[in-house]
Amino acid sequence: MNKEMEEKATKELGKEHLQEKAKEKYQEWLKKKIAEGYEKKKKENEKKKKQWQAKLQEKKEIADKKFKEWLENAKSKPSPAVKSDGYANGKLTGFYSGTSYPEPAFCNPIPWKSIHMPPPKEANNLSGKKNKTPVIESHTGHLW
């Protein structure tokens, strides 16, 4: 009986030992998987960062190119008159002043005309109610 008990004890010890080894291996595997996941995320972030930097660089190059084109085109455009008579309130002042407005670039050849609108006709009160606002007559005879 002692031998059987010893054999059972050794088998149980062996099983416990195997279970501990299995747990240790599982923990190692789990750590390894977590580390791999971390590395994968790190690589993805680096890749995204490189793509973003490439796009930013491309935009910067395009902007520089457009600016240089604009600079070249600006040289060929005529510059505005440096010195012109000043205009204040739409009238020529006869001298140039830094505080006065420049000469208008465009004047409408057809002046503005207001549209004639007939005065509104007062509608008779058809409802039969009296108007609550009093009519005040001044000493000049005008109604207010």
Side-chain angles (χ1 to χ4, degrees):
M1 255 192 156
N2 273 344
K3 282 189 176 182
E4 286 180 16
M5 294 289 270
E6 284 178 23
E7 286 178 13
K8 280 186 180 180
T10 54
K11 282 184 181 180
E12 284 180 21
L13 273 174
K15 283 182 182 180
E16 286 177 11
H17 186 66
L18 282 175
Q19 283 180 349
E20 286 178 19
K21 273 190 174 182
K23 278 186 181 180
E24 286 176 10
K25 290 237 180 197
Y26 173 74
Q27 291 297 327
E28 288 176 18
W29 175 83
L30 191 60
K31 285 180 184 178
K32 186 178 173 183
K33 282 294 178 182
I34 291 172
E36 285 176 2
Y38 178 75
E39 287 295 319
K40 188 177 180 182
K41 275 191 176 183
K42 191 175 177 182
K43 285 180 182 179
E44 286 178 11
N45 287 343
E46 286 177 10
K47 187 178 178 181
K48 284 182 183 179
K49 189 175 179 181
K50 284 181 183 179
Q51 288 175 346
W52 181 76
Q53 285 178 343
K55 282 183 182 179
L56 193 65
Q57 183 67 27
E58 185 179 341
K59 284 183 180 181
K60 189 176 180 182
E61 288 172 3
I62 291 171
D64 287 341
K65 182 181 174 185
K66 294 285 184 182
F67 176 73
K68 286 177 183 176
E69 286 177 14
W70 173 81
L71 203 57
E72 289 298 319
N73 292 338
K75 289 178 183 177
S76 63
K77 290 183 182 177
S79 60
V82 176
K83 191 173 183 181
S84 65
D85 295 328
Y87 280 79
N89 297 327
K91 295 181 181 180
L92 181 65
T93 59
F95 63 91
Y96 177 74
S97 170
T99 60
S100 60
Y101 291 107
E103 183 178 349
F106 174 77
C107 288
N108 191 357
I110 305 167
W112 181 83
K113 294 179 186 175
S114 63
I115 301 171
H116 176 70
M117 301 265 313
K121 294 180 182 177
E122 293 197 24
N124 293 336
N125 248 349
L126 299 176
S127 64
K129 293 183 181 177
K130 292 185 179 179
N131 193 355
K132 290 187 179 182
T133 55
V135 177
I136 303 170
E137 196 171 313
S138 70
H139 67 283
T140 58
H142 293 290
L143 295 176
W144 296 99

